[in-house]
Amino acid sequence: MMSGSDGADRRHQGGQATGHPADSSGSSTVLDTVVFVLLVGAAVGVLATADTGVHGERTSVAEETADVLSTSTTGVAYSQSYIVVHNGLLGSPDRRRVSVRRKAGGTHAELLAAATVATPTVARTTLMTDGGALEATVRPVVRRTLPTAAANVQVRTVWRPYEGSPPGGSFVVGDSPPRDADISVATTTVPSGFPNVTAEAVEGARSSGYHGVAMAIAEGVIRGLFPPAQTRTALYSEGPEIVATAARYQRLSERLGVETAPLVERRDVRAANERLAGALADRVAGELRRTFDSPRAAARAVRIDCVRLVVRTWSQ
């Protein structure tokens, strides 16, 4: 989602892709691999711990688990299908469908963050979905790293576009503790892959009030979902890359109630993204007005670039 850093590119590699007509399948697409790569960043935040009981050993297990998730690496692969109907960009009015095989590698925490924002929700609108494919793939991989022989362990991640908002994405590995359990907790933050737009939000609050903050959030989210350079490259490609990109634009445009097909057909990524961001900002602005006493307070709460990871441990 951010412009591809060298670190991210080293961690994530995608396979080749071939295009097929409706009801057939191919392997991977360049754009989908890029989008997945950019879901996660290059660094993990500072670890914080809290022991709600008296057992330092369990606190140590929680800390060590968070550290392992943040430093150990792995790879995953999963499939995703895309369908585009009546899109002139494809040179045919017919329905087109491709099946994508994605491959990615990174730390377990990065994969957890990617799964958390795979179905991002902003202003009560679910923007994208992969049908749960990434979540289903990541969960068993992470579960195998948990020290369940030493303690009961649960890992929970949450993404909120701003403090005080409903979760925009969440993911859980492991069972929840009993209500009377003596719990130890370790927390850390992981880059979500969306850009840091704090400065833009502060400037937006000064110049345009709540709507300025909402535009900063919306533009950051859309830029993360459709990175301009990579998206433009995909739109000029052939086969499944172009189908997947058109499908994602079509899906989000329908959810936001705007028309971007003519812009996408012209490969005008900037204009298409602006139209999506404007529609999303209108929804976000209303939420901000209901949540915060002032635009300045709203701007200070913007957090689209972070996923919070919490490890909880307890004994039987």
Side-chain angles (χ1 to χ4, degrees):
M1 287 183 182
M2 298 174 290
S3 60
S5 66
D6 291 341
D9 290 341
R10 283 194 296 270
R11 284 194 305 272
H12 304 268
Q13 291 105 20
Q16 298 299 311
T18 55
H20 299 267
D23 301 321
S24 63
S25 64
S27 52
S28 177
T29 79
V30 172
L31 177 67
D32 289 319
T33 302
V34 168
V35 169
F36 181 75
V37 167
L38 298 170
L39 283 169
V40 296
V44 175
V46 177
L47 179 68
T49 63
D51 185 2
T52 59
V54 296
H55 304 294
E57 182 177 346
R58 271 205 326 281
T59 301
S60 177
V61 172
E63 294 173 352
E64 291 172 359
T65 301
D67 183 63
V68 168
L69 293 173
S70 300
T71 57
S72 62
T73 60
T74 188
V76 297
Y78 68 102
S79 297
Q80 177 64 45
S81 295
Y82 295 93
I83 299 175
V84 177
V85 181
H86 304 307
N87 191 295
L89 183 69
L90 306 179
S92 168
D94 296 334
R95 163 173 144 158
R96 293 285 303 278
R97 175 180 177 178
V98 295
S99 180
V100 176
R101 185 67 175 171
R102 292 182 176 177
K103 296 181 180 179
T107 68
H108 288 83
E110 290 170 341
L111 295 179
L112 282 164
T116 303
V117 298
T119 307
T121 298
V122 180
R124 307 179 192 277
T125 302
T126 300
L127 306 180
M128 292 285 177
T129 180
D130 71 346
L134 179 57
E135 294 95 321
T137 303
V138 169
R139 183 171 282 110
V141 171
V142 172
R143 190 185 293 273
R144 288 195 292 270
T145 70
L146 303 182
T148 53
N152 296 288
V153 184
Q154 183 193 66
V155 178
R156 178 183 294 272
T157 53
V158 178
W159 176 71
R160 299 178 190 272
Y162 52 87
E163 294 177 5
S165 74
S170 62
F171 189 61
V172 179
V173 180
D175 297 329
S176 297
R179 292 185 177 180
D180 59 350
D182 190 4
I183 303 171
S184 294
V185 179
T187 65
T188 188
T189 57
V190 187
S192 67
F194 292 110
N196 185 324
V197 295
T198 300
E200 291 89 336
V202 171
E203 174 59 25
R206 186 192 64 79
S207 62
S208 304
Y210 287 109
H211 196 268
V213 180
M215 277 301 300
I217 294 172
E219 288 175 350
V221 169
I222 298 302
R223 187 163 73 247
L225 294 175
F226 297 98
Q230 294 92 332
T231 302
R232 192 173 295 108
T233 297
L235 289 176
Y236 277 101
S237 66
E238 298 180 357
E241 291 91 347
I242 195 171
V243 176
T245 306
R248 295 174 71 251
Y249 268 117
Q250 188 176 74
R251 186 178 302 170
L252 183 52
S253 299
E254 290 171 354
R255 294 185 179 187
L256 293 177
V258 296
E259 179 61 70
T260 62
L263 302 174
V264 174
E265 290 173 16
R266 295 200 303 266
R267 279 88 170 177
D268 193 341
V269 174
R270 180 187 60 80
N273 285 4
E274 286 179 354
R275 185 164 296 179
L276 291 172
L280 180 58
D282 290 341
R283 301 186 183 205
V284 174
E287 294 286 320
L288 296 179
R289 290 188 181 92
R290 288 188 287 271
T291 305
F292 297 100
D293 294 331
S294 69
R296 186 177 179 182
R300 290 198 300 265
V302 173
R303 294 290 186 274
I304 71 170
D305 57 318
C306 295
V307 169
R308 185 168 182 260
L309 186 153
V310 179
V311 177
R312 299 197 292 176
T313 61
W314 67 98
S315 59
Q316 294 288 355

